[in-house]
Amino acid sequence: MKKTLLFVAAMLMTATMAKASDVESAEVDIATTQTNEISEFQDVNTDQAFLEQHKPFMAPPPEERPHGEVGYWAQKVASRLKVTGYAQAGYNATLNEGANNSNSFEMRRVILMVGADIAPHFYAFFMHDFKSGGMQEYYMEYRASKAFNVRLGQSKKEFSMENPMSPTVLESIGPMAQGVFWLNGYDPLISNGSGRDMGLMFYGDVFKGRLRYVAEVVNGGQINTSDKNNQKNFVGKLEYKFLPNLRIGVSGEIGHGYAVAASGYNDIAVGETYRQNRWAFSGEWKSKKTGTDYNRHRCASVRAEVLGGMDGNVHSFGGYVSSAIPVYKQLDVVAMVDNYNYNTSKNYLQTNLMAGIQLWLHTKCRLQLQYTYCALSSAHRADLGKTNCSKIDAQVQVAF
């Protein structure tokens, strides 16, 4: 975190050395603009897409300025940077049936993102979470065209439709849908709740942007660490836009995991390498495109996924439907039905029913209030000592 703070502070200090008159008269470099093009398929749902819709940290300096001046080169570097971020904080209360209750104020995320156009077709991205105190994403990309791009580094896995999406646009305050959260790493065997992994990715949009493909080779373990079993996982995804506001997708992951902790949902031992396969069928409909300004261009949306996985000999399966509907000015009603069976042979089923409201204050800034009821199967409660519960969540989200 100290290195990140020093880096950001240095860029802010050097950028301010450039004269305001030069900034106002400068135009954005054409090559840089081309490398910043965003796939329409992403529909500005990811953190990276949100960052790249922003203007550069500073416009390029005029070419006639003497190259020997420090201010010129500082402005030159700053013109290739884009900086953005967001914070999410709030209050949550868990009311367990027949057990102790809990409540707390908490800071959920404090995110800083920096994107850099290194050269035409070469791009770098960094994301730091000051809440967790660690780097979340860092990678380099070669962007040959909209149809072919290569990414090397750590980023969100493309398994499922929801996992790559930014928390700033998800309807739920808490963790994402159970199956998405679990299969992308929250399982105690992996203990990676970020949904991210280190690896090599190939992706692009073809057939006039209607079909998006992703192919990844990843470690299949925790973030910010090396692979523990020397076996790689393969992730694949296809998404097709039948209409400009309707997309259908299928994704999957095959490979092996390395158990870093025990899990009550199966009998895999710590230190054991086990089969780790996943699949998902996904769909999303929006009444219109939203762009980056959800305050002005909100829309009704429905997203649904059916997904499952195999960890060792344990099969899990479930699905969810999530929706947000504008009802009055900046006010939306949100709802989710989320069902997941963590062990189908033992019927470790959990169903979450969520309803709430969100008030958009500005671009990516909102207030949220939600109620969730969590119902567990009798086997789930008896074998793992869990109870049914109610959850109340409130959150304020600020982005720049």
Side-chain angles (χ1 to χ4, degrees):
M1 183 173 71
K2 182 177 180 181
K3 292 182 178 180
T4 304
L5 289 170
L6 291 174
F7 170 76
V8 175
M11 292 313 306
L12 290 172
M13 291 175 63
T14 55
T16 54
M17 297 173 63
K19 293 181 180 179
S21 59
D22 295 330
V23 176
E24 294 174 357
S25 61
E27 296 181 353
V28 178
D29 182 78
I30 296 177
T32 301
T33 303
Q34 291 175 341
T35 59
N36 281 342
E37 288 181 351
I38 293 299
S39 163
E40 294 182 0
F41 215 111
Q42 297 181 51
D43 201 16
V44 205
N45 281 332
T46 66
D47 285 321
Q48 175 189 310
F50 177 52
L51 168 67
E52 294 190 29
Q53 291 291 320
H54 282 59
K55 293 181 179 179
F57 190 67
M58 183 166 288
E63 292 299 330
E64 65 272 11
R65 187 165 179 171
H67 286 205
E69 294 186 16
V70 175
Y72 172 87
W73 289 108
Q75 190 174 341
K76 192 76 171 178
V77 173
S79 68
R80 294 180 176 271
L81 295 178
K82 291 186 177 182
V83 181
T84 189
Y86 60 89
Q88 294 174 323
Y91 171 84
N92 69 82
T94 301
L95 310 176
N96 296 298
E97 296 181 0
N100 294 330
N101 301 326
S102 64
N103 68 89
S104 177
F105 290 100
E106 64 178 8
M107 179 66 72
R108 294 187 173 96
R109 298 176 184 88
V110 182
I111 300 293
L112 176 67
M113 295 178 285
V114 179
D117 286 290
I118 302 173
H121 305 296
F122 285 91
Y123 175 81
F125 179 84
F126 305 89
M127 175 190 286
H128 184 86
D129 184 1
F130 292 90
K131 170 61 168 59
S132 65
M135 292 293 291
Q136 297 296 301
E137 299 187 20
Y138 40 91
Y139 55 81
M140 293 183 62
E141 287 189 342
Y142 171 67
R143 299 174 171 180
S145 65
K146 287 186 177 182
F148 182 74
N149 304 270
V150 183
R151 176 185 298 178
L152 177 62
Q154 180 171 289
S155 62
K156 281 192 173 183
K157 291 194 300 183
E158 288 285 338
F159 172 71
S160 79
M161 185 175 287
E162 184 173 291
N163 189 62
M165 293 175 63
S166 169
T168 61
V169 298
L170 290 177
E171 299 82 6
S172 176
I173 293 177
M176 55 186 66
Q178 294 179 85
V180 176
F181 202 39
W182 185 262
L183 296 174
N184 278 288
Y186 186 69
D187 180 352
L189 294 173
I190 309 173
S191 298
N192 176 10
S194 71
R196 297 175 171 88
D197 210 338
M198 176 75 72
L200 180 66
M201 178 192 298
F202 302 90
Y203 71 94
D205 297 343
V206 294
F207 301 121
K208 298 182 179 180
R210 286 186 173 271
L211 179 65
R212 177 176 174 81
Y213 72 89
V214 182
E216 293 183 84
V217 182
V218 297
N219 286 337
Q222 297 175 306
I223 63 173
N224 299 325
T225 185
S226 58
D227 199 351
K228 290 182 169 59
N229 62 5
N230 293 323
Q231 300 190 53
K232 302 297 175 283
N233 287 17
F234 299 90
V235 181
K237 174 190 279 188
L238 289 174
E239 287 185 358
Y240 187 76
K241 270 195 172 182
F242 288 90
L243 298 170
N245 55 347
L246 173 65
R247 56 174 177 157
I248 305 295
V250 58
S251 58
E253 178 178 356
I254 58 173
H256 293 81
Y258 178 88
V260 298
S263 172
Y265 296 91
N266 52 51
D267 56 0
I268 296 174
V270 176
E272 181 180 344
T273 296
Y274 62 96
R275 178 175 54 169
Q276 186 186 78
N277 298 338
R278 285 94 171 84
W279 57 267
F281 293 98
S282 317
E284 182 183 60
W285 172 84
K286 291 184 175 182
S287 60
K288 64 178 180 180
K289 288 188 176 181
T290 58
T292 57
D293 195 338
Y294 283 77
N295 179 41
R296 295 183 180 179
H297 308 296
R298 292 171 14 262
C299 67
S301 65
V302 178
R303 185 177 63 261
E305 297 193 79
V306 177
L307 60 174
M310 183 70 71
D311 293 286
N313 296 318
V314 173
H315 177 245
S316 60
F317 173 80
Y320 73 91
V321 178
S322 183
S323 179
I325 301 175
V327 291
Y328 180 73
K329 293 186 177 180
Q330 283 75 39
L331 183 66
D332 296 347
V333 170
V334 297
M336 174 184 277
V337 177
D338 182 14
N339 182 286
Y340 202 73
N341 195 326
Y342 295 87
N343 186 322
T344 56
S345 63
K346 295 185 177 182
N347 193 32
Y348 288 166
L349 178 66
Q350 178 172 332
T351 301
N352 294 345
L353 304 175
M354 181 274 285
I357 57 174
Q358 59 185 14
L359 179 66
W360 292 96
L361 306 175
H362 191 58
T363 305
K364 294 279 183 148
C365 298
R366 59 180 173 174
L367 298 175
Q368 298 169 271
L369 179 64
Q370 296 176 3
Y371 169 80
T372 305
Y373 181 73
C374 305
L376 285 68
S377 64
S378 57
H380 199 168
R381 298 195 304 270
D383 293 353
L384 299 178
K386 295 179 178 292
T387 65
N388 296 338
C389 67
S390 296
K391 296 182 179 180
I392 300 173
D393 290 280
Q395 178 172 276
V396 57
Q397 172 181 300
V398 179
F400 67 91

PDB file of all heavy atoms in Angstrom, residues 192-215:
ATOM      1  N   ASN A 192     -10.619 -17.782  -1.660  1.00  0.00           N
ATOM      2  CA  ASN A 192     -10.346 -16.629  -2.511  1.00  0.00           C
ATOM      3  C   ASN A 192     -11.672 -15.950  -2.828  1.00  0.00           C
ATOM      4  O   ASN A 192     -12.328 -16.263  -3.821  1.00  0.00           O
ATOM      5  CB  ASN A 192      -9.636 -17.061  -3.790  1.00  0.00           C
ATOM      6  CG  ASN A 192      -9.412 -15.910  -4.760  1.00  0.00           C
ATOM      7  OD1 ASN A 192      -9.613 -14.742  -4.430  1.00  0.00           O
ATOM      8  ND2 ASN A 192      -8.994 -16.236  -5.974  1.00  0.00           N
ATOM      9  N   GLY A 193     -12.084 -15.028  -1.958  1.00  0.00           N
ATOM     10  CA  GLY A 193     -13.375 -14.373  -2.120  1.00  0.00           C
ATOM     11  C   GLY A 193     -13.396 -13.238  -3.113  1.00  0.00           C
ATOM     12  O   GLY A 193     -14.425 -12.582  -3.282  1.00  0.00           O
ATOM     13  N   SER A 194     -12.294 -12.975  -3.794  1.00  0.00           N
ATOM     14  CA  SER A 194     -12.235 -11.832  -4.709  1.00  0.00           C
ATOM     15  C   SER A 194     -12.721 -12.171  -6.110  1.00  0.00           C
ATOM     16  O   SER A 194     -13.005 -11.268  -6.901  1.00  0.00           O
ATOM     17  CB  SER A 194     -10.803 -11.305  -4.798  1.00  0.00           C
ATOM     18  OG  SER A 194      -9.975 -12.220  -5.503  1.00  0.00           O
ATOM     19  N   GLY A 195     -12.779 -13.456  -6.451  1.00  0.00           N
ATOM     20  CA  GLY A 195     -13.175 -13.846  -7.794  1.00  0.00           C
ATOM     21  C   GLY A 195     -12.106 -13.587  -8.837  1.00  0.00           C
ATOM     22  O   GLY A 195     -12.379 -13.600 -10.039  1.00  0.00           O
ATOM     23  N   ARG A 196     -10.852 -13.388  -8.390  1.00  0.00           N
ATOM     24  CA  ARG A 196      -9.762 -13.061  -9.302  1.00  0.00           C
ATOM     25  C   ARG A 196      -8.727 -14.189  -9.339  1.00  0.00           C
ATOM     26  O   ARG A 196      -8.662 -15.022  -8.438  1.00  0.00           O
ATOM     27  CB  ARG A 196      -9.087 -11.746  -8.885  1.00  0.00           C
ATOM     28  CG  ARG A 196     -10.019 -10.553  -8.962  1.00  0.00           C
ATOM     29  CD  ARG A 196      -9.357  -9.289  -8.430  1.00  0.00           C
ATOM     30  NE  ARG A 196     -10.163  -8.101  -8.696  1.00  0.00           N
ATOM     31  CZ  ARG A 196     -11.111  -7.643  -7.902  1.00  0.00           C
ATOM     32  NH1 ARG A 196     -11.383  -8.262  -6.754  1.00  0.00           N
ATOM     33  NH2 ARG A 196     -11.795  -6.566  -8.220  1.00  0.00           N
ATOM     34  N   ASP A 197      -7.891 -14.162 -10.375  1.00  0.00           N
ATOM     35  CA  ASP A 197      -6.840 -15.162 -10.497  1.00  0.00           C
ATOM     36  C   ASP A 197      -5.741 -14.625 -11.410  1.00  0.00           C
ATOM     37  O   ASP A 197      -5.962 -13.684 -12.179  1.00  0.00           O
ATOM     38  CB  ASP A 197      -7.400 -16.473 -11.048  1.00  0.00           C
ATOM     39  CG  ASP A 197      -6.628 -17.692 -10.553  1.00  0.00           C
ATOM     40  OD1 ASP A 197      -5.448 -17.536 -10.150  1.00  0.00           O
ATOM     41  OD2 ASP A 197      -7.195 -18.799 -10.552  1.00  0.00           O
ATOM     42  N   MET A 198      -4.587 -15.255 -11.333  1.00  0.00           N
ATOM     43  CA  MET A 198      -3.443 -14.872 -12.152  1.00  0.00           C
ATOM     44  C   MET A 198      -3.355 -15.783 -13.356  1.00  0.00           C
ATOM     45  O   MET A 198      -3.493 -17.011 -13.232  1.00  0.00           O
ATOM     46  CB  MET A 198      -2.156 -14.987 -11.331  1.00  0.00           C
ATOM     47  CG  MET A 198      -0.876 -14.717 -12.096  1.00  0.00           C
ATOM     48  SD  MET A 198      -0.611 -12.968 -12.433  1.00  0.00           S
ATOM     49  CE  MET A 198      -0.207 -12.392 -10.770  1.00  0.00           C
ATOM     50  N   GLY A 199      -3.146 -15.183 -14.538  1.00  0.00           N
ATOM     51  CA  GLY A 199      -3.031 -16.024 -15.714  1.00  0.00           C
ATOM     52  C   GLY A 199      -2.941 -15.248 -17.003  1.00  0.00           C
ATOM     53  O   GLY A 199      -2.661 -14.046 -17.032  1.00  0.00           O
ATOM     54  N   LEU A 200      -3.219 -15.959 -18.097  1.00  0.00           N
ATOM     55  CA  LEU A 200      -3.138 -15.425 -19.452  1.00  0.00           C
ATOM     56  C   LEU A 200      -4.515 -15.513 -20.088  1.00  0.00           C
ATOM     57  O   LEU A 200      -5.158 -16.569 -20.072  1.00  0.00           O
ATOM     58  CB  LEU A 200      -2.125 -16.231 -20.271  1.00  0.00           C
ATOM     59  CG  LEU A 200      -1.897 -15.814 -21.720  1.00  0.00           C
ATOM     60  CD1 LEU A 200      -1.260 -14.423 -21.798  1.00  0.00           C
ATOM     61  CD2 LEU A 200      -1.018 -16.841 -22.432  1.00  0.00           C
ATOM     62  N   MET A 201      -4.978 -14.399 -20.658  1.00  0.00           N
ATOM     63  CA  MET A 201      -6.326 -14.327 -21.222  1.00  0.00           C
ATOM     64  C   MET A 201      -6.276 -13.857 -22.671  1.00  0.00           C
ATOM     65  O   MET A 201      -5.517 -12.959 -23.027  1.00  0.00           O
ATOM     66  CB  MET A 201      -7.195 -13.356 -20.418  1.00  0.00           C
ATOM     67  CG  MET A 201      -8.605 -13.173 -20.967  1.00  0.00           C
ATOM     68  SD  MET A 201      -9.507 -11.766 -20.224  1.00  0.00           S
ATOM     69  CE  MET A 201      -9.567 -12.264 -18.514  1.00  0.00           C
ATOM     70  N   PHE A 202      -7.126 -14.471 -23.497  1.00  0.00           N
ATOM     71  CA  PHE A 202      -7.364 -14.039 -24.866  1.00  0.00           C
ATOM     72  C   PHE A 202      -8.850 -13.714 -24.993  1.00  0.00           C
ATOM     73  O   PHE A 202      -9.699 -14.516 -24.585  1.00  0.00           O
ATOM     74  CB  PHE A 202      -6.992 -15.139 -25.861  1.00  0.00           C
ATOM     75  CG  PHE A 202      -5.566 -15.597 -25.772  1.00  0.00           C
ATOM     76  CD1 PHE A 202      -5.224 -16.638 -24.920  1.00  0.00           C
ATOM     77  CD2 PHE A 202      -4.566 -14.996 -26.522  1.00  0.00           C
ATOM     78  CE1 PHE A 202      -3.913 -17.073 -24.823  1.00  0.00           C
ATOM     79  CE2 PHE A 202      -3.251 -15.420 -26.427  1.00  0.00           C
ATOM     80  CZ  PHE A 202      -2.931 -16.460 -25.568  1.00  0.00           C
ATOM     81  N   TYR A 203      -9.168 -12.549 -25.555  1.00  0.00           N
ATOM     82  CA  TYR A 203     -10.578 -12.188 -25.674  1.00  0.00           C
ATOM     83  C   TYR A 203     -10.791 -11.237 -26.841  1.00  0.00           C
ATOM     84  O   TYR A 203      -9.850 -10.611 -27.348  1.00  0.00           O
ATOM     85  CB  TYR A 203     -11.090 -11.546 -24.379  1.00  0.00           C
ATOM     86  CG  TYR A 203     -10.560 -10.158 -24.099  1.00  0.00           C
ATOM     87  CD1 TYR A 203     -11.271  -9.026 -24.503  1.00  0.00           C
ATOM     88  CD2 TYR A 203      -9.353  -9.956 -23.436  1.00  0.00           C
ATOM     89  CE1 TYR A 203     -10.798  -7.753 -24.246  1.00  0.00           C
ATOM     90  CE2 TYR A 203      -8.867  -8.694 -23.175  1.00  0.00           C
ATOM     91  CZ  TYR A 203      -9.596  -7.586 -23.585  1.00  0.00           C
ATOM     92  OH  TYR A 203      -9.113  -6.325 -23.335  1.00  0.00           O
ATOM     93  N   GLY A 204     -12.048 -11.116 -27.253  1.00  0.00           N
ATOM     94  CA  GLY A 204     -12.372 -10.200 -28.335  1.00  0.00           C
ATOM     95  C   GLY A 204     -13.835 -10.286 -28.726  1.00  0.00           C
ATOM     96  O   GLY A 204     -14.576 -11.153 -28.249  1.00  0.00           O
ATOM     97  N   ASP A 205     -14.253  -9.372 -29.590  1.00  0.00           N
ATOM     98  CA  ASP A 205     -15.606  -9.327 -30.117  1.00  0.00           C
ATOM     99  C   ASP A 205     -15.547  -9.551 -31.626  1.00  0.00           C
ATOM    100  O   ASP A 205     -14.771  -8.890 -32.325  1.00  0.00           O
ATOM    101  CB  ASP A 205     -16.273  -7.981 -29.841  1.00  0.00           C
ATOM    102  CG  ASP A 205     -16.429  -7.715 -28.356  1.00  0.00           C
ATOM    103  OD1 ASP A 205     -16.318  -8.677 -27.578  1.00  0.00           O
ATOM    104  OD2 ASP A 205     -16.661  -6.546 -27.981  1.00  0.00           O
ATOM    105  N   VAL A 206     -16.362 -10.472 -32.127  1.00  0.00           N
ATOM    106  CA  VAL A 206     -16.384 -10.782 -33.555  1.00  0.00           C
ATOM    107  C   VAL A 206     -17.818 -10.717 -34.059  1.00  0.00           C
ATOM    108  O   VAL A 206     -18.756 -10.526 -33.287  1.00  0.00           O
ATOM    109  CB  VAL A 206     -15.767 -12.177 -33.822  1.00  0.00           C
ATOM    110  CG1 VAL A 206     -14.281 -12.185 -33.477  1.00  0.00           C
ATOM    111  CG2 VAL A 206     -16.491 -13.250 -33.013  1.00  0.00           C
ATOM    112  N   PHE A 207     -17.969 -10.913 -35.392  1.00  0.00           N
ATOM    113  CA  PHE A 207     -19.273 -10.843 -36.039  1.00  0.00           C
ATOM    114  C   PHE A 207     -19.980  -9.525 -35.715  1.00  0.00           C
ATOM    115  O   PHE A 207     -21.082  -9.488 -35.177  1.00  0.00           O
ATOM    116  CB  PHE A 207     -20.151 -12.034 -35.650  1.00  0.00           C
ATOM    117  CG  PHE A 207     -19.552 -13.373 -35.997  1.00  0.00           C
ATOM    118  CD1 PHE A 207     -19.316 -14.320 -35.024  1.00  0.00           C
ATOM    119  CD2 PHE A 207     -19.200 -13.655 -37.309  1.00  0.00           C
ATOM    120  CE1 PHE A 207     -18.753 -15.542 -35.336  1.00  0.00           C
ATOM    121  CE2 PHE A 207     -18.632 -14.888 -37.634  1.00  0.00           C
ATOM    122  CZ  PHE A 207     -18.408 -15.823 -36.645  1.00  0.00           C
ATOM    123  N   LYS A 208     -19.260  -8.439 -36.034  1.00  0.00           N
ATOM    124  CA  LYS A 208     -19.772  -7.079 -35.845  1.00  0.00           C
ATOM    125  C   LYS A 208     -20.148  -6.804 -34.388  1.00  0.00           C
ATOM    126  O   LYS A 208     -21.102  -6.081 -34.094  1.00  0.00           O
ATOM    127  CB  LYS A 208     -20.974  -6.829 -36.768  1.00  0.00           C
ATOM    128  CG  LYS A 208     -20.629  -6.921 -38.244  1.00  0.00           C
ATOM    129  CD  LYS A 208     -21.841  -6.613 -39.112  1.00  0.00           C
ATOM    130  CE  LYS A 208     -21.484  -6.680 -40.593  1.00  0.00           C
ATOM    131  NZ  LYS A 208     -22.653  -6.377 -41.466  1.00  0.00           N
ATOM    132  N   GLY A 209     -19.388  -7.371 -33.490  1.00  0.00           N
ATOM    133  CA  GLY A 209     -19.589  -7.122 -32.070  1.00  0.00           C
ATOM    134  C   GLY A 209     -20.683  -7.929 -31.422  1.00  0.00           C
ATOM    135  O   GLY A 209     -20.958  -7.754 -30.232  1.00  0.00           O
ATOM    136  N   ARG A 210     -21.292  -8.841 -32.144  1.00  0.00           N
ATOM    137  CA  ARG A 210     -22.385  -9.628 -31.566  1.00  0.00           C
ATOM    138  C   ARG A 210     -21.885 -10.761 -30.681  1.00  0.00           C
ATOM    139  O   ARG A 210     -22.543 -11.121 -29.698  1.00  0.00           O
ATOM    140  CB  ARG A 210     -23.275 -10.202 -32.673  1.00  0.00           C
ATOM    141  CG  ARG A 210     -24.167  -9.163 -33.337  1.00  0.00           C
ATOM    142  CD  ARG A 210     -25.118  -9.834 -34.311  1.00  0.00           C
ATOM    143  NE  ARG A 210     -26.101  -8.872 -34.828  1.00  0.00           N
ATOM    144  CZ  ARG A 210     -27.259  -8.607 -34.257  1.00  0.00           C
ATOM    145  NH1 ARG A 210     -27.586  -9.225 -33.135  1.00  0.00           N
ATOM    146  NH2 ARG A 210     -28.094  -7.729 -34.781  1.00  0.00           N
ATOM    147  N   LEU A 211     -20.758 -11.345 -31.027  1.00  0.00           N
ATOM    148  CA  LEU A 211     -20.236 -12.489 -30.285  1.00  0.00           C
ATOM    149  C   LEU A 211     -18.954 -12.112 -29.564  1.00  0.00           C
ATOM    150  O   LEU A 211     -18.019 -11.598 -30.172  1.00  0.00           O
ATOM    151  CB  LEU A 211     -19.973 -13.662 -31.220  1.00  0.00           C
ATOM    152  CG  LEU A 211     -19.391 -14.925 -30.566  1.00  0.00           C
ATOM    153  CD1 LEU A 211     -20.401 -15.532 -29.595  1.00  0.00           C
ATOM    154  CD2 LEU A 211     -18.980 -15.948 -31.623  1.00  0.00           C
ATOM    155  N   ARG A 212     -18.931 -12.348 -28.269  1.00  0.00           N
ATOM    156  CA  ARG A 212     -17.739 -12.110 -27.453  1.00  0.00           C
ATOM    157  C   ARG A 212     -17.195 -13.455 -26.977  1.00  0.00           C
ATOM    158  O   ARG A 212     -17.943 -14.308 -26.497  1.00  0.00           O
ATOM    159  CB  ARG A 212     -18.070 -11.230 -26.247  1.00  0.00           C
ATOM    160  CG  ARG A 212     -16.889 -10.998 -25.298  1.00  0.00           C
ATOM    161  CD  ARG A 212     -17.270 -10.036 -24.190  1.00  0.00           C
ATOM    162  NE  ARG A 212     -16.224  -9.894 -23.192  1.00  0.00           N
ATOM    163  CZ  ARG A 212     -15.159  -9.122 -23.323  1.00  0.00           C
ATOM    164  NH1 ARG A 212     -14.993  -8.430 -24.429  1.00  0.00           N
ATOM    165  NH2 ARG A 212     -14.256  -9.033 -22.365  1.00  0.00           N
ATOM    166  N   TYR A 213     -15.888 -13.636 -27.116  1.00  0.00           N
ATOM    167  CA  TYR A 213     -15.252 -14.861 -26.663  1.00  0.00           C
ATOM    168  C   TYR A 213     -14.154 -14.544 -25.652  1.00  0.00           C
ATOM    169  O   TYR A 213     -13.530 -13.479 -25.698  1.00  0.00           O
ATOM    170  CB  TYR A 213     -14.647 -15.641 -27.842  1.00  0.00           C
ATOM    171  CG  TYR A 213     -13.403 -14.989 -28.429  1.00  0.00           C
ATOM    172  CD1 TYR A 213     -12.124 -15.279 -27.939  1.00  0.00           C
ATOM    173  CD2 TYR A 213     -13.515 -14.067 -29.470  1.00  0.00           C
ATOM    174  CE1 TYR A 213     -10.991 -14.681 -28.480  1.00  0.00           C
ATOM    175  CE2 TYR A 213     -12.393 -13.453 -30.003  1.00  0.00           C
ATOM    176  CZ  TYR A 213     -11.134 -13.763 -29.504  1.00  0.00           C
ATOM    177  OH  TYR A 213     -10.015 -13.154 -30.018  1.00  0.00           O
ATOM    178  N   VAL A 214     -13.934 -15.445 -24.721  1.00  0.00           N
ATOM    179  CA  VAL A 214     -12.859 -15.328 -23.740  1.00  0.00           C
ATOM    180  C   VAL A 214     -12.257 -16.711 -23.524  1.00  0.00           C
ATOM    181  O   VAL A 214     -12.993 -17.697 -23.365  1.00  0.00           O
ATOM    182  CB  VAL A 214     -13.351 -14.780 -22.382  1.00  0.00           C
ATOM    183  CG1 VAL A 214     -12.173 -14.641 -21.416  1.00  0.00           C
ATOM    184  CG2 VAL A 214     -14.049 -13.446 -22.555  1.00  0.00           C
ATOM    185  N   ALA A 215     -10.941 -16.800 -23.518  1.00  0.00           N
ATOM    186  CA  ALA A 215     -10.223 -18.037 -23.186  1.00  0.00           C
ATOM    187  C   ALA A 215      -9.114 -17.685 -22.207  1.00  0.00           C
ATOM    188  O   ALA A 215      -8.294 -16.796 -22.488  1.00  0.00           O
ATOM    189  CB  ALA A 215      -9.650 -18.689 -24.439  1.00  0.00           C
TER     190      ALA A 215
END
